[in-house]
Amino acid sequence: MLRVMSRRGDDRIIWDAQKVEAQDSEAVAAIKEAERIFTEERKKGATAFRVEPGKTVERIDKFDRTAEQIVLVPRVVGG
C-alpha cells in the first residue's frame, strides 16, 4: 500500500504483490500508478517511509514494491 499524506488525510493505492507477479492487469496498473506517484512526490520533496508491523520505520529513497506499506509525507513549507 502507498499512502500519501495530505490536508485531506491520506490517499491510498493498494496492490497485491502476488497478483503483480502473476501479471494481473489491475494489480500491475496499480503498482505502476503507485511508482509514478512515489517518483512525482519525491521530486516535490516528499519523504518516504517503509512501515512494517513489528519493525522500525525506515526512511527510503526508492520505491520498494515488496514493502507492506509506504508512507509519503509532503515537504512541510513554513510561511
Side-chain angles (χ1 to χ4, degrees), residues 9-40:
D10 66 317
D11 296 317
R12 298 175 184 199
I13 296 186
I14 301 171
W15 64 91
D16 182 327
Q18 291 177 339
K19 288 183 178 181
V20 170
E21 286 192 28
Q23 296 300 308
D24 176 81
S25 61
E26 285 185 32
V28 170
I31 202 163
K32 284 183 179 180
E33 179 66 2
E35 286 181 282
R36 183 192 69 73
I37 291 169
F38 182 93
T39 301
E40 183 180 294

Side-chain angles (χ1 to χ4, degrees), residues 1-3 13-18 20-21 31 34-35 38 48-53 55-56 58-71:
M1 173 189 323
L2 175 68
R3 296 176 61 194
I13 296 186
I14 301 171
W15 64 91
D16 182 327
Q18 291 177 339
V20 170
E21 286 192 28
I31 202 163
E35 286 181 282
F38 182 93
F49 300 94
R50 178 187 352 220
V51 180
E52 310 250 350
K55 294 183 180 179
T56 303
E58 178 185 355
R59 183 173 177 214
I60 59 174
D61 294 318
K62 295 182 181 179
F63 185 80
D64 180 359
R65 60 177 50 209
T66 65
E68 186 169 322
Q69 185 175 168
I70 297 172
V71 177

